[in-house]
Coordinates of all heavy atoms in Angstrom, one line a residue:
M137 N -0.6 17.2 4.3 CA -1.5 16.3 5.0 C -2.9 16.8 4.9 O -3.1 18.0 5.1 CB -1.0 16.1 6.4 CG -1.9 15.4 7.3 SD -1.0 14.6 8.6 CE -1.4 12.9 8.2
C138 N -3.8 15.9 4.7 CA -5.2 16.3 4.6 C -5.8 16.5 6.0 O -5.5 15.7 6.9 CB -6.0 15.2 3.9 SG -7.7 15.7 3.5
L139 N -6.7 17.4 6.2 CA -7.3 17.7 7.5 C -8.6 16.8 7.7 O -9.1 16.7 8.8 CB -7.6 19.2 7.7 CG -6.4 20.1 7.6 CD1 -6.9 21.5 7.7 CD2 -5.4 19.8 8.7
L140 N -9.1 16.3 6.6 CA -10.3 15.4 6.8 C -9.9 14.0 7.3 O -8.9 13.5 6.8 CB -11.0 15.3 5.4 CG -11.5 16.5 4.8 CD1 -12.0 16.2 3.4 CD2 -12.5 17.2 5.6
S141 N -10.6 13.5 8.2 CA -10.3 12.2 8.7 C -11.1 11.2 8.0 O -12.3 11.4 7.6 CB -10.6 12.1 10.2 OG -12.0 12.4 10.5
P142 N -10.6 10.0 7.8 CA -11.3 8.9 7.0 C -12.4 8.4 7.9 O -12.5 8.6 9.1 CB -10.2 7.8 6.8 CG -9.2 8.1 7.9 CD -9.2 9.6 8.2
P143 N -13.4 7.7 7.2 CA -14.5 7.1 8.0 C -14.0 6.2 9.1 O -12.9 5.6 8.9 CB -15.3 6.4 6.9 CG -14.9 7.0 5.6 CD -13.5 7.5 5.8
A144 N -14.7 6.0 10.1 CA -14.2 5.2 11.3 C -14.0 3.8 10.9 O -13.2 3.1 11.5 CB -15.2 5.3 12.4
R145 N -14.8 3.2 10.0 CA -14.7 1.8 9.6 C -13.5 1.5 8.7 O -13.2 0.4 8.4 CB -16.0 1.3 9.1 CG -16.3 1.9 7.7 CD -17.7 1.3 7.2 NE -17.8 1.6 5.8 CZ -18.3 2.8 5.3 NH1 -18.6 3.8 6.1 NH2 -18.4 2.9 4.0
Y146 N -12.9 2.6 8.2 CA -11.8 2.4 7.2 C -10.5 2.0 7.9 O -10.2 2.6 9.0 CB -11.6 3.7 6.4 CG -10.9 3.6 5.1 CD1 -11.5 3.0 4.0 CD2 -9.6 4.0 5.0 CE1 -10.8 2.9 2.8 CE2 -8.9 3.9 3.8 CZ -9.5 3.3 2.7 OH -8.9 3.2 1.6
P147 N -9.8 1.0 7.4 CA -8.5 0.6 8.0 C -7.5 1.7 8.1 O -7.5 2.6 7.3 CB -8.0 -0.5 7.1 CG -9.1 -0.9 6.2 CD -10.1 0.3 6.2
D148 N -6.7 1.7 9.2 CA -5.7 2.7 9.3 C -4.5 2.4 8.4 O -4.5 1.4 7.7 CB -5.3 2.9 10.8 CG -4.5 1.7 11.3 OD1 -4.0 0.9 10.6 OD2 -4.5 1.6 12.6
R149 N -3.6 3.3 8.4 CA -2.4 3.2 7.4 C -1.7 1.9 7.6 O -1.4 1.2 6.6 CB -1.5 4.4 7.6 CG -0.4 4.5 6.6 CD 0.5 5.7 6.9 NE 1.2 6.1 5.7 CZ 2.1 5.4 5.0 NH1 2.3 4.1 5.3 NH2 2.6 5.8 3.9
D150 N -1.4 1.5 8.8 CA -0.6 0.2 9.0 C -1.4 -1.0 8.6 O -0.9 -1.9 8.0 CB -0.2 0.1 10.5 CG 0.8 1.1 10.9 OD1 1.6 1.6 10.0 OD2 0.9 1.4 12.1
Q151 N -2.7 -1.0 8.8 CA -3.6 -2.1 8.4 C -3.6 -2.2 6.9 O -3.5 -3.3 6.3 CB -5.0 -1.9 9.0 CG -5.0 -2.1 10.5 CD -6.4 -1.7 11.1 OE1 -7.0 -0.8 10.6 NE2 -6.8 -2.5 12.1
L152 N -3.8 -1.0 6.2 CA -3.8 -1.0 4.8 C -2.5 -1.5 4.2 O -2.5 -2.3 3.2 CB -4.1 0.4 4.3 CG -5.5 0.9 4.2 CD1 -5.6 2.3 3.7 CD2 -6.3 0.0 3.3
Q153 N -1.4 -1.1 4.8 CA -0.1 -1.6 4.3 C 0.0 -3.1 4.4 O 0.5 -3.8 3.5 CB 1.1 -0.9 5.0 CG 2.4 -1.2 4.4 CD 3.5 -0.3 5.0 OE1 3.3 0.5 5.9 NE2 4.7 -0.6 4.6
S154 N -0.4 -3.6 5.5 CA -0.4 -5.1 5.8 C -1.3 -5.8 4.8 O -0.9 -6.8 4.2 CB -0.8 -5.4 7.2 OG 0.1 -5.0 8.1
I155 N -2.5 -5.2 4.5 CA -3.4 -5.8 3.6 C -2.8 -5.8 2.2 O -2.8 -6.9 1.5 CB -4.8 -5.1 3.6 CG1 -5.5 -5.3 4.9 CG2 -5.6 -5.5 2.4 CD1 -6.6 -4.4 5.2
Y156 N -2.3 -4.7 1.7 CA -1.7 -4.6 0.4 C -0.5 -5.5 0.3 O -0.3 -6.2 -0.8 CB -1.3 -3.2 0.1 CG -2.4 -2.2 -0.2 CD1 -2.2 -0.9 -0.3 CD2 -3.8 -2.6 -0.2 CE1 -3.2 0.0 -0.5 CE2 -4.8 -1.7 -0.4 CZ -4.5 -0.4 -0.5 OH -5.6 0.5 -0.7
S157 N 0.3 -5.6 1.3 CA 1.5 -6.4 1.3 C 1.1 -7.9 1.2 O 1.7 -8.7 0.4 CB 2.3 -6.2 2.6 OG 3.5 -6.9 2.6
S158 N 0.0 -8.3 1.9 CA -0.5 -9.7 1.8 C -0.9 -10.0 0.4 O -0.8 -11.1 0.0 CB -1.6 -9.9 2.8 OG -1.2 -9.7 4.1
Y159 N -1.5 -9.1 -0.3 CA -2.0 -9.3 -1.7 C -0.8 -9.3 -2.6 O -0.7 -10.1 -3.6 CB -2.9 -8.2 -2.1 CG -4.4 -8.4 -1.7 CD1 -4.9 -7.6 -0.8 CD2 -5.1 -9.5 -2.2 CE1 -6.2 -7.8 -0.3 CE2 -6.4 -9.7 -1.8 CZ -7.0 -8.8 -0.9 OH -8.3 -9.0 -0.4
L160 N 0.2 -8.4 -2.4 CA 1.3 -8.3 -3.4 C 2.3 -9.5 -3.3 O 2.8 -9.9 -4.3 CB 2.1 -7.0 -3.1 CG 1.4 -5.7 -3.6 CD1 2.2 -4.5 -3.0 CD2 1.4 -5.7 -5.1
K161 N 2.5 -10.0 -2.1 CA 3.6 -11.0 -1.9 C 3.3 -12.2 -2.9 O 4.2 -12.6 -3.6 CB 3.6 -11.5 -0.5 CG 4.4 -10.5 0.4 CD 4.4 -11.0 1.8 CE 5.0 -9.9 2.7 NZ 4.9 -10.2 4.1
P162 N 2.2 -12.9 -2.8 CA 2.0 -14.0 -3.7 C 2.1 -13.7 -5.2 O 2.5 -14.5 -6.0 CB 0.7 -14.6 -3.3 CG 0.0 -13.6 -2.5 CD 1.0 -12.7 -2.0
I163 N 1.6 -12.5 -5.5 CA 1.6 -12.1 -6.9 C 3.0 -11.9 -7.4 O 3.4 -12.4 -8.5 CB 0.8 -10.8 -7.1 CG1 -0.7 -11.0 -6.8 CG2 0.9 -10.2 -8.5 CD1 -1.6 -9.8 -6.7
L164 N 3.8 -11.1 -6.7 CA 5.2 -10.8 -7.1 C 6.1 -12.1 -7.0 O 6.9 -12.3 -7.8 CB 5.7 -9.7 -6.3 CG 5.1 -8.3 -6.6 CD1 5.6 -7.3 -5.6 CD2 5.2 -7.9 -8.0
H165 N 5.9 -12.8 -5.9 CA 6.8 -14.0 -5.7 C 6.5 -15.1 -6.7 O 7.4 -15.9 -6.9 CB 6.6 -14.5 -4.3 CG 7.3 -13.5 -3.3 ND1 7.6 -13.9 -2.0 CD2 7.6 -12.2 -3.3 CE1 8.2 -12.9 -1.4 NE2 8.2 -11.9 -2.2
R166 N 5.3 -15.2 -7.2 CA 5.0 -16.2 -8.2 C 5.9 -16.1 -9.4 O 6.5 -17.1 -9.9 CB 3.6 -16.1 -8.6 CG 3.2 -17.2 -9.6 CD 1.7 -17.2 -9.9 NE 1.4 -18.3 -10.8 CZ 0.3 -18.5 -11.4 NH1 -0.7 -17.7 -11.1 NH2 0.1 -19.4 -12.2
Q167 N 6.2 -14.9 -9.9 CA 7.0 -14.7 -11.1 C 8.4 -14.2 -10.7 O 9.3 -14.3 -11.5 CB 6.3 -13.7 -12.0 CG 5.0 -14.2 -12.6 CD 5.2 -15.5 -13.4 OE1 6.2 -15.6 -14.2 NE2 4.3 -16.4 -13.3
L168 N 8.6 -13.5 -9.6 CA 9.8 -12.8 -9.3 C 10.5 -13.3 -8.0 O 11.2 -12.5 -7.4 CB 9.5 -11.3 -9.3 CG 8.9 -10.7 -10.5 CD1 8.4 -9.3 -10.3 CD2 9.9 -10.8 -11.7
S169 N 10.3 -14.5 -7.6 CA 10.8 -14.9 -6.3 C 12.3 -14.9 -6.2 O 12.8 -14.7 -5.1 CB 10.3 -16.4 -6.0 OG 10.8 -17.3 -7.0
R170 N 13.0 -14.9 -7.3 CA 14.5 -14.9 -7.3 C 15.0 -13.5 -7.6 O 16.2 -13.2 -7.7 CB 15.0 -15.9 -8.3 CG 14.9 -17.3 -7.8 CD 15.6 -18.3 -8.7 NE 15.6 -19.6 -8.2 CZ 14.7 -20.5 -8.5 NH1 13.8 -20.3 -9.4 NH2 14.8 -21.7 -8.0
H171 N 14.1 -12.5 -7.9 CA 14.5 -11.2 -8.2 C 15.1 -10.5 -6.9 O 14.6 -10.7 -5.8 CB 13.3 -10.4 -8.6 CG 13.6 -9.0 -9.2 ND1 13.8 -7.9 -8.4 CD2 13.8 -8.6 -10.5 CE1 14.1 -6.9 -9.2 NE2 14.1 -7.3 -10.5
A172 N 16.1 -9.8 -7.1 CA 16.9 -9.1 -6.0 C 16.0 -8.2 -5.1 O 16.1 -8.2 -3.9 CB 18.1 -8.4 -6.5
V173 N 15.0 -7.5 -5.8 CA 14.2 -6.6 -5.0 C 12.9 -7.3 -4.7 O 12.5 -7.4 -3.5 CB 14.0 -5.3 -5.8 CG1 12.9 -4.4 -5.1 CG2 15.3 -4.6 -6.0
W174 N 12.1 -7.7 -5.7 CA 10.8 -8.2 -5.5 C 10.7 -9.6 -4.9 O 9.6 -10.0 -4.5 CB 10.0 -8.1 -6.7 CG 10.0 -6.7 -7.3 CD1 10.4 -6.3 -8.5 CD2 9.7 -5.5 -6.6 NE1 10.4 -4.9 -8.6 CE2 9.9 -4.4 -7.4 CE3 9.2 -5.2 -5.3 CZ2 9.7 -3.1 -7.1 CZ3 9.0 -3.9 -4.9 CH2 9.2 -2.9 -5.8
G175 N 11.8 -10.3 -4.7 CA 11.8 -11.5 -4.0 C 12.0 -11.3 -2.5 O 11.9 -12.2 -1.7
N176 N 12.2 -10.1 -2.1 CA 12.5 -9.7 -0.7 C 11.2 -9.2 0.0 O 10.6 -8.2 -0.5 CB 13.5 -8.6 -0.7 CG 14.0 -8.2 0.7 OD1 13.2 -8.1 1.6 ND2 15.2 -7.8 0.8
N177 N 10.7 -9.8 1.0 CA 9.5 -9.5 1.7 C 9.5 -8.0 2.2 O 8.4 -7.3 2.1 CB 9.2 -10.4 2.8 CG 8.7 -11.8 2.3 OD1 8.2 -11.9 1.2 ND2 8.8 -12.8 3.2
S178 N 10.6 -7.5 2.7 CA 10.6 -6.2 3.2 C 10.5 -5.2 2.1 O 9.8 -4.1 2.3 CB 11.9 -5.9 4.0 OG 13.0 -6.0 3.2
K179 N 11.0 -5.5 0.9 CA 10.8 -4.5 -0.3 C 9.3 -4.5 -0.7 O 8.8 -3.5 -1.1 CB 11.7 -4.9 -1.4 CG 13.2 -4.9 -1.1 CD 13.6 -3.5 -0.8 CE 15.1 -3.4 -0.6 NZ 15.6 -2.1 -0.3
V180 N 8.7 -5.7 -0.7 CA 7.3 -5.8 -1.1 C 6.5 -5.0 -0.1 O 5.5 -4.3 -0.5 CB 6.8 -7.3 -1.2 CG1 5.3 -7.3 -1.4 CG2 7.6 -8.0 -2.3
H181 N 6.8 -5.1 1.2 CA 6.1 -4.3 2.2 C 6.3 -2.8 2.0 O 5.4 -2.0 2.2 CB 6.6 -4.8 3.6 CG 5.7 -4.3 4.7 ND1 4.5 -4.8 5.0 CD2 6.0 -3.4 5.7 CE1 4.0 -4.2 6.0 NE2 4.9 -3.3 6.5
A182 N 7.5 -2.5 1.6 CA 7.8 -1.0 1.3 C 7.0 -0.6 0.1 O 6.5 0.6 0.1 CB 9.3 -0.8 1.1
L183 N 6.8 -1.4 -0.9 CA 6.0 -1.1 -2.0 C 4.5 -0.8 -1.6 O 3.9 0.1 -2.0 CB 6.1 -2.2 -3.1 CG 5.1 -2.0 -4.3 CD1 5.4 -0.7 -5.1 CD2 5.2 -3.2 -5.2
A184 N 4.1 -1.7 -0.7 CA 2.7 -1.6 -0.2 C 2.6 -0.2 0.5 O 1.6 0.5 0.4 CB 2.4 -2.7 0.7
G185 N 3.6 0.1 1.3 CA 3.6 1.4 2.0 C 3.5 2.6 1.0 O 2.8 3.6 1.2
S186 N 4.3 2.5 -0.1 CA 4.2 3.5 -1.1 C 2.8 3.6 -1.8 O 2.4 4.7 -2.1 CB 5.3 3.2 -2.2 OG 6.6 3.3 -1.7
M187 N 2.2 2.5 -2.0 CA 0.9 2.5 -2.5 C -0.1 3.2 -1.6 O -1.0 4.0 -2.1 CB 0.4 1.0 -2.8 CG 1.2 0.4 -3.9 SD 0.9 -1.4 -4.1 CE -0.9 -1.4 -4.5
V188 N 0.0 2.9 -0.3 CA -0.9 3.6 0.7 C -0.6 5.1 0.7 O -1.6 5.9 0.7 CB -0.7 3.0 2.1 CG1 -1.4 3.8 3.1 CG2 -1.1 1.5 2.1
Q189 N 0.6 5.5 0.6 CA 1.0 6.9 0.6 C 0.4 7.6 -0.6 O -0.1 8.7 -0.5 CB 2.5 7.1 0.7 CG 2.9 8.5 0.8 CD 2.4 9.2 2.1 OE1 2.6 8.7 3.2 NE2 1.8 10.3 2.0
L190 N 0.6 6.9 -1.8 CA 0.0 7.5 -3.0 C -1.5 7.6 -2.9 O -2.0 8.7 -3.3 CB 0.4 6.6 -4.2 CG -0.1 7.0 -5.5 CD1 0.4 8.4 -5.9 CD2 0.2 6.0 -6.6
Y191 N -2.1 6.6 -2.4 CA -3.6 6.7 -2.2 C -4.0 7.9 -1.3 O -4.9 8.6 -1.6 CB -4.1 5.4 -1.6 CG -5.6 5.5 -1.2 CD1 -6.6 5.5 -2.2 CD2 -5.9 5.7 0.1 CE1 -7.9 5.6 -1.8 CE2 -7.3 5.9 0.5 CZ -8.3 5.8 -0.5 OH -9.6 6.0 -0.1
E192 N -3.3 8.0 -0.2 CA -3.5 9.1 0.8 C -3.3 10.5 0.1 O -4.1 11.4 0.3 CB -2.7 9.0 2.0 CG -3.1 7.8 2.9 CD -2.1 7.6 4.1 OE1 -1.0 8.2 4.1 OE2 -2.5 6.9 5.0
D193 N -2.3 10.6 -0.7 CA -2.0 11.8 -1.3 C -3.0 12.2 -2.4 O -3.5 13.3 -2.5 CB -0.6 11.8 -2.0 CG 0.6 11.7 -1.0 OD1 0.3 12.0 0.2 OD2 1.7 11.4 -1.4
V194 N -3.4 11.2 -3.2 CA -4.4 11.5 -4.2 C -5.8 11.8 -3.6 O -6.5 12.7 -4.0 CB -4.5 10.3 -5.2 CG1 -5.6 10.4 -6.1 CG2 -3.2 10.2 -6.0
S195 N -6.2 11.0 -2.6 CA -7.5 11.2 -2.0 C -7.5 12.6 -1.3 O -8.5 13.3 -1.3 CB -7.9 10.1 -1.1 OG -7.0 10.0 0.0
C196 N -6.4 12.9 -0.6 CA -6.4 14.2 0.0 C -6.4 15.3 -1.0 O -7.1 16.3 -0.8 CB -5.1 14.3 0.9 SG -4.9 15.9 1.8
F197 N -5.7 15.2 -2.1 CA -5.7 16.2 -3.1 C -7.1 16.4 -3.6 O -7.5 17.6 -3.8 CB -4.7 15.8 -4.2 CG -4.6 16.8 -5.3 CD1 -3.9 18.0 -5.2 CD2 -5.2 16.6 -6.5 CE1 -3.8 18.9 -6.2 CE2 -5.2 17.5 -7.6 CZ -4.4 18.7 -7.4
S198 N -7.8 15.4 -3.9 CA -9.1 15.5 -4.5 C -10.1 16.1 -3.5 O -11.1 16.8 -3.9 CB -9.6 14.2 -5.0 OG -9.8 13.3 -4.0
Y199 N -10.0 15.9 -2.2 CA -10.9 16.4 -1.2 C -10.5 17.8 -0.7 O -11.4 18.5 -0.2 CB -11.0 15.4 0.0 CG -11.8 14.2 -0.3 CD1 -11.1 13.0 -0.3 CD2 -13.1 14.2 -0.6 CE1 -11.8 11.8 -0.5 CE2 -13.8 13.1 -0.8 CZ -13.2 11.9 -0.8 OH -13.9 10.7 -1.1
C200 N -9.2 18.1 -0.8 CA -8.8 19.4 -0.2 C -8.8 20.5 -1.1 O -8.3 21.6 -0.8 CB -7.4 19.2 0.5 SG -7.5 18.0 1.9
L201 N -9.1 20.3 -2.4 CA -9.1 21.4 -3.3 C -10.3 22.3 -3.2 O -11.4 22.2 -2.9 CB -9.0 20.9 -4.8 CG -7.7 20.4 -5.1 CD1 -7.7 19.9 -6.6 CD2 -6.6 21.5 -5.0

């Protein structure tokens, strides 16, 4: 975990996950609405969470070195 805190105006983790999920749903559902995984809203939300985690890990890595 990185010890630096993000700027105050930056959305928190839950807000970012909701934003990413909102963007991903129409994109994935347009082509994959019947897919067992990507047709499921909770799986898309989990993917958004993974994206946020990856972003946090990469940004922490670059700032904490």
Side-chain angles (χ1 to χ4, degrees):
M137 171 152 244
C138 188
L139 299 177
L140 300 175
S141 59
R145 69 180 193 278
Y146 200 72
D148 66 24
R149 187 180 204 298
D150 291 335
Q151 291 171 325
L152 277 178
Q153 186 171 359
S154 293
I155 292 166
Y156 291 173
S157 185
S158 295
Y159 279 112
L160 285 170
K161 282 178 190 175
I163 294 167
L164 293 176
H165 286 200
R166 183 173 180 187
Q167 297 295 323
L168 302 170
S169 62
R170 291 189 173 95
H171 191 275
V173 174
W174 305 123
N176 182 327
N177 285 338
S178 65
K179 298 294 186 181
V180 174
H181 192 71
L183 174 62
S186 296
M187 292 170 65
V188 172
Q189 184 63 51
L190 177 63
Y191 171 77
E192 290 173 346
D193 292 347
V194 169
S195 62
C196 182
F197 181 76
S198 63
Y199 287 114
C200 293
L201 286 180

